[in-house]
Amino acid sequence: MELPLSIQQLSKLAESNVSPSQLFGILSQYEADARLVSAGCGSPETGSADPELLSFFYASFFFAHLLTKQIPEARALTQRMPEAIRLQDPCLKNCLILLRAVWQTQHAQVYQILRNLQWPENLQPLVRRYDSFFQDQTLISVSTSYEAIRLPAAAVYLGLDLAAAEQEDPTIIEKFTQCGWKWDSETKLLHPTPIIVPSTVQKATNGIHDAMAMLGNRGG
Amino acid sequence: MSIVNDLIAASETLPRSGRISDERYDQKLKDHVTRLRQLLSNNELNHVAHDESLLDQFDPSKDSITYLFLLQLQIHNLRETTSETFPAALLPLGKLWSRSAHYLEIFNPVQVRYAGHEWRQLIELVVQAAQADSKPLLAARLVKGAMLRLDPSCAVFTSTHLLLVQLCLAAKAYTCALPVLEKPIYHIPILPSRSPFRSLQSLCAEYESSVAFVNDTTGLSSTLNSQDYLQYFLYGGMIYMALKKWDEALNYLGTAISMPTKGPISMVAVEAYKKFILVGLLDKGKTCSLPNSTATQVVKTLQSLVKPYLDLAKAFEQGDRIRLEAEIDAAQGIWSADKNTGLVFQVLNAFCKHSLVKIKKVVASLSVAELTAPISPFQGNLSGITESQIASLIMAGDLDATLAHSQLHSSSSILRFKAESLPLLFHENEAHADLQTQGKLMEGLFGSMEQANHRLGLSDEFIDNTVNRQQWPSAGGMKSEMGGATGLEMEEDIMGDLS
């Protein structure tokens, strides 16, 4: 960690394009600093706890957990937040509401919380990033979970305009057909094409071959 | 100040230069530690014990020994003068805390092998200070970092392992423990005379295994007993439970339960067994088998001690929701006393999921309305479940099925269980990731087995035993027998998993 914990530094991180795991790693290193700030060793100017900085840090770190799909650990983070700001700070209260919706897989609520609740300006990039991430993840899940799905139901899952979906708005339909889904205008059903996320690991068959070779060598 | 000047001069020559042999460097470090211990025991450094700037004259990353001794001297002196166990300077934010924390982040891992007692004492002090100030998180991160710095393999069980999991549980910083928990333990600290590296006397040498320097005499671990080992695996299991990594939790709890014992069964093992039953229900929907290494007598005794848990598991496995709820109500005091209430309620929530999974064995597809009807072939176990909950289970990967909406809104959706699920590639990628992990574990295990074989082969006990038992098969014969059988079994298992 090169730079000290500050609102400027956190704002830069929130706006940056670092990968979710990098973001998580960087913010993890700041947690000890945040704990010390909460204990009263804030900025040299104030010399005391800095609620705005703490709120921004914990909210950013919370979103970093969500972006790396660490939901149980995100819950643990909310329990580690300093009590005084966890229950008072509007942004962190929003995080708790969001966590509950994500935990209970209430898709419509998740989008509503992300889009309609008031989030601080400097946190907006992470809020938008998670909105997009959650939408992508849900699209993948729906594609493998449904053989056929009504357009409004699919729209709710993806946080799209429900009224437009009920009117069979072509722009809504197009969002799905662009992903290879088929729209049956007679039955009014979408037929998803399962989206298989390619593994980041190298070609699988090589791995199996290598593992078996290793077993053979070791055993023999 | 001449002593300090001498120490500064000695300190500058302490970092290892490329040419010095292991033996010479070993002797140099030993001499340095001996001198420092002598200076401290003769109180020859007391005149600088208050000097805050003293430590600035040493670089802890280059001379981790002098810095450590002087840091300890200042801590000891501060405690004496303030008559406080944890004066403010030692608590987080304090000057000595900051110095200690900085030291633990950058110390030289080879040099501290020679000052293991002092290194461990500093770790313990940091832990106690953080706990005294209700900030276990600060110590957890430091301890984890220090452990990995000292021994990146973490393959030898030490008292610091136990400290770390206790801290992480207290701080609710569960992922902080994972870099250590994920590393398999192959050894406990042993006497150097039993070490496979006993012929190599230099602690500073590079070793394949950390068992060469984490032993009974270096002091890098305090003396351990079987309870410490059990507690580590119980707490490790609890950390995995908090993260809902159920397989890993079962593995850790199973290890705590199956540890061989001659005397009475430990209460830690009993606690682990209670959690093991509940985690088995949560993850697999049934009571999982204990590891094969668990003694039959131990299993019988454990079962007699956890009857309410077994009754609950029986009701769960029989698919009897009413009885399950009754069992939960009846033993509320027990769950609470055991601090397992949260887990028991998770079991109740998981009942629906596993009831659905069981239906897969009976039917290929059915409408959601049929499934959720109060009077259904499924004993009303799923009467409260909604379509969106079913969809959530499928989307989370807990239920291998698909949903299909019908054209008419009035018609119920169809739930279709998958006989053959996603394309093989999907499974192959997952299997490959698993294989990579398991492959690394096996490499480590084989390495440790080879060391153990080597050690056994050189030991007096082994030679005596070989002489006494003339029927011992030849090493070559054993090897080929093991190799053939192991390879074949693994292949069948892999094909079984993929099918």
Side-chain angles (χ1 to χ4, degrees):
Chain A
M1 186 169 52
E2 289 173 3
L3 296 167
L5 177 64
S6 67
I7 288 183
Q8 291 74 19
Q9 177 62 7
L10 289 174
S11 298
K12 270 187 197 168
L13 271 174
E15 285 167 8
S16 71
N17 286 327
V18 294
S19 70
S21 58
Q22 281 176 314
L23 179 70
F24 179 82
I26 295 167
L27 291 173
S28 294
Q29 293 180 49
Y30 281 125
E31 196 182 358
D33 285 3
R35 197 75 189 87
L36 292 175
V37 170
S38 73
C41 180
S43 62
E45 295 79 30
T46 61
S48 61
D50 185 338
E52 192 189 345
L53 175 64
L54 287 174
S55 168
F56 190 18
F57 167 74
Y58 280 108
S60 304
F61 198 23
F62 172 77
F63 275 97
H65 280 78
L66 297 189
L67 286 165
T68 47
K69 296 199 269 187
Q70 299 186 72
I71 311 302
E73 187 63 15
R75 189 183 184 188
L77 174 72
T78 62
Q79 293 165 343
R80 296 201 298 270
M81 291 172 181
E83 191 82 359
I85 60 160
R86 183 167 66 101
L87 302 173
Q88 299 293 326
D89 183 76
C91 177
L92 295 184
K93 282 207 267 189
N94 287 354
C95 289
L96 294 177
I97 297 168
L98 177 61
L99 175 67
R100 194 173 303 123
V102 172
W103 192 278
Q104 295 172 352
T105 56
Q106 301 287 336
H107 293 83
Q109 267 191 27
V110 170
Y111 296 115
Q112 195 198 351
I113 292 163
L114 289 170
R115 294 169 190 176
N116 299 342
L117 293 189
Q118 279 211 323
W119 297 96
E121 193 56 39
N122 47 17
L123 195 68
Q124 289 290 347
L126 286 178
V127 175
R128 284 195 295 273
R129 193 169 175 181
Y130 184 62
D131 187 315
S132 171
F133 175 83
F134 186 76
Q135 205 174 33
D136 289 347
Q137 292 297 309
T138 308
L139 180 75
I140 293 166
S141 301
V142 172
S143 80
T144 55
S145 305
Y146 280 87
E147 292 173 24
I149 185 168
R150 289 185 203 106
L151 186 59
V156 168
Y157 273 124
L158 294 197
L160 304 176
D161 186 345
L162 181 60
E166 281 169 345
Q167 299 297 318
E168 294 169 27
D169 184 334
T171 55
I172 300 274
I173 294 170
E174 199 183 328
K175 282 186 189 293
F176 294 102
T177 52
Q178 274 176 347
C179 304
W181 296 25
K182 290 185 178 62
W183 167 247
D184 187 334
S185 55
E186 283 186 19
T187 60
K188 315 286 186 197
L189 288 172
L190 278 166
H191 294 273
T193 303
I195 301 169
I196 309 296
V197 181
S199 171
T200 51
V201 291
Q202 68 182 99
K203 200 179 170 188
T205 27
N206 288 344
I208 293 172
H209 177 81
D210 293 347
M212 295 314 297
M214 190 189 84
L215 285 174
N217 290 339
R218 294 288 190 175
Chain B
M1 294 296 282
S2 64
I3 296 176
V4 174
N5 289 337
D6 286 352
L7 282 177
I8 292 170
S11 181
E12 282 165 3
T13 64
L14 213 58
R16 188 170 191 168
S17 64
R19 283 162 292 173
I20 192 167
S21 67
D22 283 345
E23 290 72 22
R24 279 188 59 198
Y25 192 53
D26 179 68
Q27 195 55 52
K28 185 175 182 175
L29 292 175
K30 278 180 181 166
D31 291 345
H32 192 64
V33 170
T34 308
R35 173 158 163 70
L36 280 164
R37 286 194 174 133
Q38 207 171 13
L39 287 173
L40 288 176
S41 66
N42 296 341
N43 298 326
E44 291 178 65
L45 287 168
N46 281 8
H47 64 290
V48 288
H50 296 280
D51 183 359
E52 284 184 7
S53 65
L54 173 68
L55 289 169
D56 294 331
Q57 300 180 57
F58 299 89
D59 181 346
S61 66
K62 291 180 178 160
D63 177 2
S64 299
I65 296 175
T66 315
Y67 194 95
L68 179 58
F69 275 89
L70 295 178
L71 181 60
Q72 292 236 323
L73 172 71
Q74 297 211 334
I75 291 168
H76 177 75
N77 187 67
L78 181 71
R79 280 174 147 178
E80 277 206 335
T81 50
T82 58
S83 304
E84 288 178 52
T85 315
F86 297 109
L90 262 186
L91 297 175
L93 301 180
K95 279 187 179 170
L96 285 177
W97 164 276
S98 302
R99 285 195 185 274
S100 305
H102 182 58
Y103 177 84
L104 291 176
E105 284 168 353
I106 61 164
F107 67 86
N108 180 309
V110 173
Q111 290 178 3
V112 298
R113 294 176 191 174
Y114 293 81
H117 288 284
E118 289 76 10
W119 180 86
R120 177 169 53 79
Q121 280 171 1
L122 186 68
I123 291 264
E124 289 169 357
L125 180 89
V126 163
V127 170
Q128 289 161 6
Q131 284 173 330
D133 203 29
S134 306
K135 295 185 182 68
L137 176 77
L138 300 183
R141 292 181 187 279
L142 288 173
V143 171
K144 176 198 71 176
M147 285 178 77
L148 293 168
R149 190 167 180 81
L150 175 75
D151 170 19
S153 76
C154 288
V156 185
F157 180 61
T158 65
S159 50
T160 322
H161 278 73
L162 183 55
L163 277 180
L164 177 68
V165 288
Q166 285 171 330
L167 278 171
C168 290
L169 278 176
K172 296 185 191 297
Y174 308 115
T175 47
C176 179
L178 294 188
V180 172
L181 282 178
E182 284 167 355
K183 295 187 191 302
I185 290 172
Y186 298 121
H187 308 278
I188 52 169
I190 52 174
L191 286 169
S193 59
R194 292 186 168 201
S195 165
F197 307 99
R198 63 183 185 272
S199 57
L200 305 169
Q201 295 299 316
S202 303
L203 275 178
C204 61
E206 275 189 35
Y207 292 105
E208 280 178 26
S209 166
S210 50
V211 75
F213 55 87
V214 185
N215 57 44
D216 270 356
T217 54
T218 52
L220 290 163
S221 172
S222 65
T223 308
L224 296 162
N225 59 37
S226 59
Q227 287 294 101
D228 296 328
Y229 186 80
L230 290 179
Q231 281 183 338
Y232 175 71
F233 281 95
L234 172 65
Y235 295 154
M238 288 165 68
I239 285 172
Y240 279 124
M241 282 159 55
L243 293 171
K244 299 196 182 297
K245 292 176 181 270
W246 304 122
D247 278 338
E248 291 87 344
L250 283 170
N251 183 23
Y252 262 73
L253 296 171
T255 307
I257 298 162
S258 62
M259 186 177 168
T261 175
K262 279 184 182 172
I265 291 173
S266 160
M267 282 308 293
V268 180
V270 178
E271 289 309 308
Y273 187 48
K274 289 171 182 174
K275 292 183 184 352
F276 185 84
I277 292 169
L278 297 176
V279 173
L281 294 176
L282 277 167
D283 187 37
K284 317 279 185 205
K286 62 178 186 181
T287 315
C288 292
S289 309
L290 285 167
N292 290 338
S293 53
T294 319
T296 317
Q297 193 53 43
V298 170
V299 177
K300 281 183 186 168
T301 312
L302 283 172
Q303 285 176 341
S304 68
L305 293 170
V306 299
K307 197 167 175 307
Y309 288 83
L310 292 174
D311 290 343
L312 181 142
K314 197 172 175 186
F316 190 105
E317 287 174 338
Q318 287 175 346
D320 187 342
R321 188 182 180 104
I322 293 169
R323 206 185 127 202
L324 177 68
E325 287 174 345
E327 294 289 354
I328 289 173
D329 281 344
Q332 272 185 6
I334 293 170
W335 319 135
S336 173
D338 292 345
K339 295 190 168 59
N340 282 333
T341 305
L343 210 53
V344 167
F345 280 107
Q346 283 190 57
V347 167
L348 185 60
N349 292 335
F351 179 78
C352 237
K353 177 181 102 178
H354 290 290
S355 297
L356 260 176
V357 172
K358 280 179 191 167
I359 291 172
K360 183 183 175 182
K361 293 174 187 166
V362 187
V363 292
S365 71
L366 76 172
S367 73
V368 174
E370 279 179 282
L371 193 69
T372 58
I375 302 168
S376 80
F378 312 111
Q379 302 171 327
N381 281 341
L382 299 162
S383 58
I385 198 165
T386 61
E387 184 179 322
S388 69
Q389 285 173 319
I390 295 170
S392 291
L393 287 174
I394 298 171
M395 288 163 79
D398 289 330
L399 184 63
D400 205 9
T402 53
L403 276 167
H405 283 169
S406 61
Q407 185 178 358
L408 298 171
H409 281 252
S410 54
S411 299
S412 176
S413 304
I414 300 295
L415 175 67
R416 194 166 288 128
F417 295 104
K418 288 183 188 173
E420 197 61 51
S421 51
L422 290 165
L424 192 60
L425 175 66
F426 184 79
H427 287 300
E428 196 180 334
N429 285 336
E430 282 194 340
H432 176 247
D434 277 350
L435 273 171
Q436 276 196 325
T437 310
Q438 297 299 323
K440 279 181 188 164
L441 285 173
M442 289 176 78
E443 270 195 342
L445 184 62
F446 279 127
S448 289
M449 280 169 64
E450 278 171 9
Q451 282 172 20
N453 281 339
H454 181 69
R455 188 166 79 236
L456 282 171
L458 294 176
S459 73
D460 295 340
E461 292 94 326
F462 176 78
I463 292 164
D464 291 346
N465 204 23
T466 309
V467 171
N468 292 336
R469 297 174 64 187
Q470 294 297 315
Q471 297 306 312
W472 194 266
S474 70
M478 272 181 70
K479 269 188 175 177
S480 63
E481 198 178 303
M482 279 174 65
T486 312
L488 186 63
E489 280 172 12
M490 282 302 295
E491 192 172 19
E492 283 175 356
D493 282 345
I494 287 167
M495 296 314 290
D497 284 343
L498 290 172
S499 64

